[in-house]
Amino acid sequence: MAAAPKSMHRSSSRPQLDVSGAAIQGNLEERDPSILLPNQSDDISHLALDIGGSLIKLVYFSRHADHSNNDKRKKSLKERLGISNGNRRSYPILGGRLHFVKFETRKLNECLDFISSKQLHRGGIDLHTWHSPDDNAIIKATGGGAYKFADLFKERLGVSIDKEDEMDCLVAGANFLLKAIRHEAFTHMEGQKEFVQIDHNDLFPYLLVNIGSGVSMIKVDGDGSFQRVSGTNVGGGTYWGLGRLLTKCKSFDELLELSQRGDNRVIDMLVGDIYGGMDYSKIGLSASTIASSFGKTISENKEPSDYRPEDISLSLLRMISYNIGQISYLNALRYGIKRIFFGGFFIRGHAYTMDTISFAIHFWSKGQAQAMFLRHEGFLGALGAFMSYEKHGLDDLMAHHLVERFPMGAPYMGGMIHGPPLGDLNEKISWMEKFVRKGTEITAPVPMCPPGTTGVGGFERPSSKGDTLRSDASAAFNVGVLHLVPTLEVFPLLADPKTYEPNTINLSDHSELEYWFTVLSEHMSDIVDKAVASEGGTDDAKRRGDAFAHAFSAHLARLMEEPAAYGKFGLANLLELREECLREFQFMDAYKTIKQRENEASLAVLQDLLMELDSMSEEARLLSLIEGVLAANIFDWGSCACVDLYHKGTIIEIYRMSRKKMRRPWRVDGFDNFKERLLGSGDEKPKTHKRALLFVDNSGADIVLGMLPLARELLRRGTEVILVANSLPALNDVTAMEIPEIVAEAAKHCDILRKAAEAGGLLVDAMVNIQDGAVENYASAPLMVVENGCGSPCLDFRQVNSELAAVAKDADLVVLEGMGRALHTNFNARFKCDTLKLAMVKNQRLAEKLVQGNIFDCVCRFEPAV
Ligand SMILES: CC(C)(COP(=O)(O)O)[C@@H](O)C(=O)NCCC(=O)O
Ligand SMILES: [Mn+2]
């Protein structure tokens, strides 16, 4: 039933720009009309580079052709709901993906091969002014290498490098990240990462401290408005240079790694060394405070070789980090700045370095100023160079337009390339197989230990001793691919979008992470079986199934090791990651057959259910309908406990059993309030809801015997109903694309549903002859379907499809159904309209934590409009 949407086409071949048949789309008068490339099947790209002394950072944008406008059903729905494309037909932002990739500068050739194989240099095309790629193609680049290697780029790729000022780029990159990415900035204190939500309207001024070989301190006052106010020659180069002289280390990372095992007390003179182990409390210095970096070495009769390289490295790291922290603080003080962002290659996500800098800022400012770090800090320059394209298409980008994805495998890792660039899925799987066979880095279960701390006040030696420093290659996992989706919007009925947090469970609590890690690991083989079976169980499907399992395990292991590795990450993200990972290995709908089978079985008994309902009083019917939704929510192939149940009986048997067990009061029971709102109490006749949005969950009994009968009741009462379903499959959830067929079947047994579906344009065949504007002639309130814009079992109301956002404006009732959408996410969310949250809790631990109950307890929570 569910054909894969066209936008999920398989990208395999190299992008070749096919400009034949190019045409301006829509209004020619418009300033920046979009250009349609009817024959362009793959990516169109922009590329920008930051070529530093040790690393080349690459940012490129790829744009997929958008076929979504051709959907007949969507067009008719838009007409019916009066959603015009008029003012947003041509989105100011281009949909596409922003990729982040790194190479070592000494492997420049690999970088050139990569660019060439993906034809990124040929995509340096201005989509608006429509300059086709030619011999004069240019690439924007910053960093010293833009000068040093310009000739090589011309020779190898035939492109000219357009050099951009490094400082301009840093600032443009930082401004873009801080405005467009929700949790880009974070603090790092005593081993704990805390993501910070920056208020766009209160961003400036800030101090940007870029720690490269040397250090620049830049006061940023706005876009393109900044001043380099200070700097220091004691920076990353000093650490590496002195470190090399003193320890014979071969690389910066090796030196940093050594520091992890170091003890600086052997080298540094501490206050306690001077005061016989005592604090100098009169001026607030503890015994462990460093009085003089390297000071202890002067009073001992030791040779340099008597000192351990580990200890030297740590002393050096602390000396330089504190010094930078102190100078930064003084400059912040000088200009009255509270926020200091640190970036540059010296930091490279190293926990101890960040802790040390944070401590210094905190210490000197007495807690008044805050050191912050950026997830994409390594890409500031390259991003800035990208922004310097005259029309980069990212000007109006907002956080809700961006979705970060973490595809597996080079070169998609947003980091170092392991081997040659990958062309297609087959190469990717081979790479995965090799990578996994070669080492166990990404599959081995990682020891579960809480993140290390740096000890009291950051002045003790690091207790994270023994943890391995993540190499740059694996740290690269931290940066995903940014999907730019201009059709996403904030759900307008959120009571307070600023404080809205979708996730109910906080995964930064290590025991939670551990628990869900285990649940998802245990569910892996079942999901792989279903996925492989959905593709006919072929050898190719089995191979992809294995690759999926490896990839998802690798993600889990990475997150166990560093819960904040992918930014602010909740249970909803974890569940979505699994779906994305399935799609990455081209399992478009793993539960396809199961869903079909269950839809059919449920549709077969629908008529009986409707007859039974119709014989009841209004009040009894309403209760029975809610019971029906809760009971049918038991059909959930994502819950281990439920999957066990399915071995014990047929769908209808389980459904009947589940209904029979319904006992009020439910664990959370707001039914009486809901009933009163709908039916009124005493003589009072309440106002009928105008439009209800029903966020549906699973296929089969859940939609057919649960949500559809509820929708029917609302329709019968004169409320317009919009069924809101997933855009893409997730577990056994029903998708928006599948619903019309289900409704058409159901309508065969029910006049109310048939009329409503016809009025809503759901029965395409029946509505073929309906003229525009004829909708009003229908006596029935319409039943419609809108997609939510996502492919996950959960829902983040900060990023929903723009059509949903448009229809929500007139809605006065929201029904959220299922564990994913009403418990894991949105349990605590408040809306501007009446809200009903319905779910069966199919997990013992969640039942205990959330509602102090037990598995299979039910939640019926009614919240009147805020
Ligand atoms: C994935 C789910 C959120 C889907 O539940 P639904 O929204 O369909 O009610 C849920 O099945 C779940 O949390 N499963 C994992 C927990 C478990 O297996 O116990
Ligand atoms: Mn579900």
Side-chain angles (χ1 to χ4, degrees):
M1 177 154 55
K6 284 177 185 156
S7 55
M8 301 194 312
H9 68 113
R10 297 176 179 211
S11 59
S12 54
S13 59
R14 303 276 176 253
Q16 291 291 336
L17 205 65
D18 186 346
V19 296
S20 60
I24 303 256
Q25 203 182 8
N27 188 357
L28 289 162
E29 312 285 295
E30 221 166 319
R31 239 186 82 224
D32 297 322
S34 23
I35 291 160
L36 187 71
L37 301 177
N39 303 320
Q40 173 59 43
S41 59
D42 220 308
D43 299 351
I44 303 165
S45 310
H46 274 292
L47 161 73
L49 298 160
D50 176 2
I51 313 176
S54 55
L55 291 174
I56 303 177
K57 279 78 66 179
L58 226 119
V59 170
Y60 72 93
F61 178 75
S62 64
R63 189 191 180 201
H64 289 277
D66 178 14
H67 303 278
S68 62
N69 275 346
N70 304 330
D71 190 322
K72 191 168 134 198
R73 201 183 311 277
K74 266 192 196 163
K75 265 189 193 157
S76 92
L77 176 78
K78 280 183 186 170
E79 281 158 14
R80 248 155 248 276
L81 289 169
I83 310 170
S84 85
N85 256 347
N87 51 356
R88 50 201 175 104
R89 186 206 50 74
S90 165
Y91 290 100
I93 312 153
L94 297 176
R97 291 166 196 187
L98 212 46
H99 306 254
F100 301 86
V101 186
K102 276 185 219 164
F103 292 87
E104 285 179 65
T105 308
R106 63 191 172 90
K107 294 182 187 163
L108 177 64
N109 277 330
E110 280 183 14
C111 173
L112 294 169
D113 288 345
F114 177 74
I115 295 171
S116 161
S117 71
K118 292 193 90 52
Q119 295 279 295
L120 298 176
H121 56 306
R122 293 181 57 80
I125 178 177
D126 188 326
L127 285 171
H128 302 271
T129 55
W130 200 233
H131 286 146
S132 55
D134 53 28
D135 290 343
N136 298 322
I138 54 131
I139 298 177
K140 297 278 189 184
T142 187
Y147 295 82
K148 191 169 167 186
F149 301 118
D151 290 346
L152 198 64
F153 272 78
K154 187 81 194 166
E155 207 177 288
R156 283 279 316 270
L157 302 173
V159 293
S160 306
I161 298 261
D162 200 1
K163 301 163 194 78
E164 291 295 322
D165 176 71
E166 217 164 330
M167 219 64 81
D168 286 339
C169 288
L170 281 178
V171 172
N175 280 349
F176 168 76
L177 290 168
L178 289 167
K179 280 190 195 159
I181 301 189
R182 192 170 285 119
H183 293 113
E184 173 64 21
F186 59 91
T187 57
H188 205 290
M189 295 282 266
E190 305 201 0
Q192 295 291 346
K193 239 183 205 177
E194 193 101 26
F195 290 96
V196 182
Q197 178 61 56
I198 304 284
D199 182 353
H200 298 176
N201 302 319
D202 185 27
L203 171 61
F204 305 112
Y206 66 83
L207 192 71
L208 180 62
V209 180
N210 187 56
I211 317 178
S213 301
V215 184
S216 286
M217 294 175 189
I218 308 160
K219 176 173 170 272
V220 183
D221 294 303
D223 285 323
S225 165
F226 65 89
Q227 191 191 352
R228 185 182 189 274
V229 289
S230 191
T232 161
N233 52 344
V234 180
T238 319
Y239 174 58
W240 175 207
L242 272 177
R244 219 167 89 99
L245 290 176
L246 295 170
T247 69
K248 310 213 164 29
C249 266
K250 294 274 179 302
S251 75
F252 185 91
D253 283 332
E254 193 186 333
L255 184 67
L256 211 46
E257 170 111 38
L258 274 184
S259 74
Q260 300 268 122
R261 285 172 270 126
D263 179 357
N264 65 304
R265 291 175 303 182
V266 183
I267 292 180
D268 292 341
M269 186 186 285
L270 309 183
V271 167
D273 293 328
I274 305 169
Y275 283 80
M278 312 259 282
D279 294 343
Y280 183 2
S281 32
K282 198 175 156 196
I283 54 167
L285 295 178
S286 74
S288 59
T289 306
I290 300 172
S292 167
S293 287
F294 286 80
K296 200 174 264 177
T297 60
I298 52 174
S299 53
E300 291 176 329
N301 287 328
K302 284 186 184 170
E303 294 300 312
S305 56
D306 293 333
Y307 292 96
R308 294 192 326 140
E310 290 86 343
D311 304 337
I312 294 172
S313 177
L314 184 61
S315 292
L316 206 50
L317 180 67
R318 295 184 74 162
M319 177 179 94
I320 289 164
S321 303
Y322 282 139
N323 191 54
I324 294 171
Q326 189 169 3
I327 299 173
S328 305
Y329 159 70
L330 289 171
N331 277 288
L333 188 71
R334 185 172 152 210
Y335 294 100
I337 295 171
K338 293 256 182 302
R339 276 185 303 246
I340 312 174
F341 295 103
F342 288 86
F345 90 86
F346 175 70
I347 295 176
R348 49 181 72 189
H350 189 216
Y352 196 77
T353 309
M354 291 192 281
D355 268 4
T356 313
I357 291 174
S358 298
F359 183 83
I361 299 289
H362 188 83
F363 179 83
W364 290 111
S365 73
K366 298 194 170 60
Q368 292 302 298
Q370 208 173 25
M372 283 186 269
F373 306 90
L374 303 172
R375 285 191 54 227
H376 292 82
E377 59 102 352
F379 290 95
L380 295 188
L383 255 172
F386 187 91
M387 307 294 285
S388 71
Y389 280 109
E390 208 173 295
K391 297 266 170 63
H392 49 70
L394 306 183
D395 305 277
D396 302 319
L397 207 65
M398 310 265 272
H400 59 259
H401 293 132
L402 285 168
V403 183
E404 191 171 12
R405 302 256 179 252
F406 296 88
M408 184 58 57
Y412 307 96
M413 281 171 60
M416 295 293 191
I417 304 299
H418 299 260
L422 305 173
D424 59 14
L425 182 69
N426 189 39
E427 281 178 32
K428 185 186 216 170
I429 296 174
S430 305
W431 177 85
M432 288 276 309
E433 288 167 350
K434 266 186 233 144
F435 187 43
V436 173
R437 215 178 296 137
K438 194 187 95 205
T440 47
E441 296 108 300
I442 62 167
T443 48
V446 180
M448 296 172 184
C449 57
T453 66
T454 56
V456 182
F459 273 91
E460 303 297 331
R461 49 186 245 210
S463 62
S464 54
K465 223 174 89 172
D467 283 1
T468 48
L469 174 74
R470 299 207 65 86
S471 71
D472 206 30
S474 38
F477 263 96
N478 292 358
V479 179
V481 175
L482 285 180
H483 288 226
L484 275 54
V485 193
T487 50
L488 291 179
E489 283 181 33
V490 178
F491 189 62
L493 293 175
L494 273 181
D496 187 2
K498 273 209 171 116
T499 57
Y500 170 77
E501 164 58 51
N503 285 290
T504 312
I505 300 287
N506 186 356
L507 284 191
S508 54
D509 172 343
H510 210 76
S511 66
E512 284 296 341
L513 188 66
E514 219 171 285
Y515 173 76
W516 290 102
F517 176 94
T518 316
V519 167
L520 295 184
S521 303
E522 280 170 4
H523 201 228
M524 192 86 80
S525 66
D526 186 57
I527 220 165
V528 171
D529 285 351
K530 300 287 182 304
V532 172
S534 76
E535 301 269 316
T538 59
D539 285 347
D540 169 63
K542 281 185 196 144
R543 191 165 166 248
R544 285 189 282 127
D546 279 350
F548 155 75
H550 281 314
F552 190 55
S553 309
H555 283 302
L556 289 176
R558 176 75 184 103
L559 285 164
M560 263 326 279
E561 192 186 37
E562 199 191 326
Y566 295 172
K568 199 168 182 209
F569 217 72
L571 185 52
N573 308 83
L574 201 56
L575 290 167
E576 184 172 23
L577 181 69
R578 181 170 66 183
E579 299 300 328
E580 280 300 318
C581 210
L582 278 167
R583 286 189 268 276
E584 192 183 351
F585 294 96
Q586 293 182 359
F587 293 108
M588 294 313 186
D589 192 354
Y591 290 81
K592 189 167 55 189
T593 339
I594 291 177
K595 292 197 293 183
Q596 265 163 14
R597 193 184 68 207
E598 296 199 353
N599 287 345
E600 282 161 23
S602 304
L603 282 163
V605 297
L606 177 65
Q607 199 174 9
D608 289 347
L609 176 71
L610 296 182
M611 268 166 56
E612 194 187 321
L613 287 166
D614 288 347
S615 69
M616 294 177 183
S617 71
E618 207 177 31
E619 220 177 298
R621 194 166 68 226
L622 193 60
L623 176 61
S624 192
L625 283 163
I626 300 298
E627 276 180 355
V629 171
L630 295 171
N633 192 235
I634 204 164
F635 291 98
D636 166 15
W637 286 86
S639 147
C640 299
C642 290
V643 174
D644 283 347
L645 265 185
Y646 307 151
H647 299 302
K648 298 183 184 133
T650 65
I651 296 173
I652 301 307
E653 282 163 2
I654 293 165
Y655 172 70
R656 293 222 169 93
M657 183 263 314
S658 175
R659 275 204 80 134
K660 224 184 272 161
K661 285 197 172 169
M662 283 287 133
R663 288 276 178 281
R664 282 193 71 199
W666 296 306
R667 196 61 214 151
V668 175
D669 196 332
F671 176 76
D672 291 338
N673 297 336
F674 178 61
K675 186 181 76 181
E676 200 175 308
R677 171 62 189 87
L678 243 67
L679 309 181
S681 60
D683 296 335
E684 204 187 321
K685 192 100 186 90
K687 226 176 109 211
T688 306
H689 286 112
K690 186 175 175 300
R691 178 181 285 175
L693 302 181
L694 268 54
F695 289 81
V696 298
D697 180 5
N698 303 314
S699 305
D702 202 333
I703 174 98
V704 177
L705 306 177
M707 290 302 265
L708 260 190
L710 179 63
R712 176 177 177 262
E713 181 67 22
L714 294 168
L715 289 163
R716 166 191 257 174
R717 308 178 63 78
T719 302
E720 277 181 26
V721 175
I722 300 181
L723 300 173
V724 186
N726 264 21
S727 302
L728 294 175
L731 292 165
N732 60 322
D733 289 357
V734 67
T735 66
M737 228 199 315
E738 292 160 353
I739 292 184
E741 207 171 308
I742 296 172
V743 170
E745 274 306 309
K748 287 184 188 162
H749 310 292
C750 169
D751 267 0
I752 302 174
L753 285 175
R754 184 177 51 75
K755 286 196 183 123
E758 277 174 7
L762 266 185
L763 302 179
V764 176
D765 301 332
M767 53 157 255
V768 168
N769 298 321
I770 299 169
Q771 301 294 308
D772 277 350
V775 185
E776 296 80 49
N777 298 337
Y778 281 93
S780 169
L783 173 66
M784 290 162 277
V785 179
V786 163
E787 57 179 308
N788 60 16
C790 85
S792 151
C794 300
L795 193 57
D796 180 344
F797 275 106
R798 290 169 305 198
Q799 300 186 290
V800 300
N801 188 287
S802 54
E803 268 160 39
L804 170 56
V807 299
K809 287 182 184 122
D810 291 322
D812 48 4
L813 174 64
V814 161
V815 181
L816 294 179
E817 193 229 345
M819 204 163 139
R821 293 169 188 83
L823 303 184
H824 288 330
T825 46
N826 306 312
F827 189 61
N828 302 318
R830 298 306 304 265
F831 297 87
K832 288 181 193 158
C833 66
D834 290 349
T835 307
L836 184 65
K837 296 171 183 169
L838 298 171
M840 181 186 274
V841 198
K842 293 152 288 187
N843 175 280
Q844 179 63 29
R845 182 179 164 114
L846 192 77
E848 286 168 21
K849 283 233 150 178
L850 210 57
V851 293
Q852 292 75 50
N854 281 307
I855 189 161
F856 303 127
D857 275 351
C858 289
V859 172
C860 169
R861 187 187 245 194
F862 180 68
E863 293 158 335
V866 175

